[in-house]
Amino acid sequence: MVREVTGSPSAIRCVPKEGWKGSAFLADPWKLSCALSGKLLGYRPMDSTRAKDSLKTAITNCWETMGRPRENL
């Protein structure tokens, strides 16, 4: 979605845990669930189409706010 909004030709690649140089917690598997937040807070996830549209809008707004600083990414 970021590549689509920005027009970037950058490739997406998976970095093996052993080769990751960033924050350690980002290399660990994340087991996400809405069950606990639903039970404690009454959270209900939005449908995937609305969620994707919302995320794309946020990415677009961010990109436009940044002023599209680079022509060739």
Side-chain angles (χ1 to χ4, degrees):
M1 206 176 284
V2 170
R3 291 183 334 152
E4 178 186 338
V5 168
T6 64
S8 173
S10 300
I12 296 173
R13 62 186 175 97
C14 187
V15 177
K17 186 173 184 172
E18 306 77 42
W20 178 249
K21 304 291 185 225
S23 298
F25 81 95
L26 293 173
D28 294 331
W30 292 18
K31 295 177 182 171
L32 305 176
S33 169
C34 296
L36 186 57
S37 59
K39 181 179 176 183
L40 297 176
L41 305 171
Y43 172 77
R44 299 288 177 262
M46 67 172 76
D47 71 84
S48 63
T49 301
R50 267 187 58 217
K52 287 177 184 177
D53 289 346
S54 180
L55 178 58
K56 187 171 185 176
T57 297
I59 293 168
T60 300
N61 290 342
C62 180
W63 184 242
E64 289 173 353
T65 299
M66 290 173 53
R68 300 178 180 180
R70 293 183 239 164
E71 283 299 316
N72 45 352
L73 296 174

